[in-house]
Amino acid sequence: MFKSILVPFDGSQGAEAALAKAAELAKLCGAELTLLTVYRHHSLLEASMHMVRPDEPADLDDIMRSHAKEVAERGKSLAVESGISEPRAFVKAGPVARTITGFAKEYGHDLIVIGSRGLGSLEGVLLGSVSHKVTSLSETPVLVI
C-alpha cells in the first residue's frame, strides 16, 4: 500500500500522535519511515540585532538548527520504541509547509502523516495551521491525525 511515509515532527503532542500512527502504518505496510523537522530562519529584526551585537546572542540559526536536531533525534528514538528498526530523520530550514511538501515530492514519499496541531504560533492562528497548508499544497496524500 505505502512504501515511504514522511512524518513532519516538531516535538508536540500532535506530532507524537502522528508519529505513533505512522509507525503503525509503516509496520503494517512494510514501509520506510522518515521524520522531518523544519525550523524557520530568524527574522530580519533578529538578524539586524546580531549585526549590532555579533557576540550576543550567538548565531540564532545555529541555535535553532541545534534544537531542531535534538527534536529530530527524539522523534527517531520514539520511532524505534514504536518498533521501527531504521527510521531516518532530517532537519531542514525554510517555510514549514512548503519545505514539508517539497521534501515529500523530492524524495518520493507516498504518504505524509502530520499532526493536526503542532507547537503553533501567532502566525498559525492568523494564517492557518501548518497541517492545513500542507494538505492544500501537497501533491502527496496527507493523513492528518
Side-chain angles (χ1 to χ4, degrees):
M1 182 186 240
F2 299 110
K3 295 179 183 172
S4 182
I5 300 173
L6 176 64
V7 182
F9 189 79
D10 65 3
S12 66
Q13 288 181 333
E16 287 185 14
L19 177 56
K21 185 56 71 178
E24 285 180 42
L25 283 169
K27 289 187 288 188
L28 186 65
C29 301
E32 293 179 354
L33 186 68
T34 302
L35 289 92
L36 176 63
T37 300
V38 180
Y39 69 96
R40 291 181 40 167
H41 287 287
H42 58 272
S43 72
L44 292 176
L45 174 63
E46 292 166 326
S48 65
M49 291 301 290
H50 181 68
M51 290 170 55
V52 173
R53 295 181 169 187
D55 297 328
E56 298 175 18
D59 185 355
L60 294 172
D61 275 336
D62 289 342
I63 292 168
M64 291 166 55
R65 184 180 309 106
S66 176
H67 176 71
K69 286 180 181 178
E70 290 174 13
V71 169
E73 284 302 316
R74 182 169 172 273
K76 194 172 176 181
S77 295
L78 290 172
V80 169
E81 289 174 16
S82 295
I84 304 298
S85 59
E86 295 182 27
R88 297 180 302 166
F90 294 88
V91 172
K92 295 278 186 182
V96 180
R98 290 196 183 278
T99 302
I100 292 166
T101 56
F103 188 91
K105 184 176 180 179
E106 181 179 349
Y107 291 97
H109 296 287
D110 50 13
L111 180 66
I112 299 170
V113 180
I114 189 168
S116 62
R117 285 283 178 201
L119 293 176
S121 66
L122 179 59
E123 178 184 339
V125 172
L126 297 175
L127 300 177
S129 69
V130 170
S131 58
H132 178 74
K133 289 178 189 174
V134 169
T135 58
S136 298
L137 294 170
S138 184
E139 296 175 16
T140 304
V142 180
L143 174 59
V144 180
I145 304 298

